[in-house]
Amino acid sequence: LKSKPRDIAQKLLEELSPKITPIFEDPEIAGPGFINLKFRGEYISRRLEQMLQDEERLAVPPADKPQRIVIDFSSPNIAKEMHVGH
């Protein structure tokens, strides 16, 4: 991208801010370009209220086309050489 990480973070926030404002408080850029997000209390309260009203699905709508997705979680020791066992 040939830009400083903080500049990239700033550009990302400029694009994302209108979309995430109802959910997150003002985002912060920290360190070399990390973006810190903090949920708005009102958003958390509203979502929890929705979940309490729908105990069966916790306010998660059913998928239009259900599918099986395999998620592989690995935690290799990055201090050692990778091998086929990872």
Side-chain angles (χ1 to χ4, degrees):
L1 299 174
K2 298 184 181 180
S3 296
K4 296 177 183 176
R6 286 186 69 89
D7 293 342
I8 295 170
Q10 184 62 45
K11 287 178 185 175
L12 278 171
L13 288 181
E14 288 170 5
E15 291 291 322
L16 289 176
S17 286
K19 297 174 185 171
I20 64 173
T21 298
I23 300 170
F24 297 107
E25 293 182 8
D26 291 335
E28 299 175 359
I29 299 173
F34 299 107
I35 298 174
N36 293 328
L37 299 172
K38 182 178 178 183
F39 281 104
R40 291 185 180 279
E42 314 87 65
Y43 175 79
I44 296 291
S45 297
R46 189 172 61 249
R47 291 297 295 154
L48 287 173
E49 196 58 43
Q50 291 170 342
M51 292 169 74
L52 287 171
Q53 292 175 9
D54 182 11
E55 291 182 20
E56 184 177 332
R57 296 206 41 92
L58 299 175
V60 176
D64 292 333
K65 295 181 181 178
Q67 57 182 319
R68 184 177 307 259
I69 299 173
V70 177
I71 299 173
D72 180 23
F73 175 78
S74 64
S75 183
N77 183 346
I78 60 170
K80 294 182 177 180
E81 185 177 339
M82 290 287 288
H83 60 80
V84 90
H86 286 114

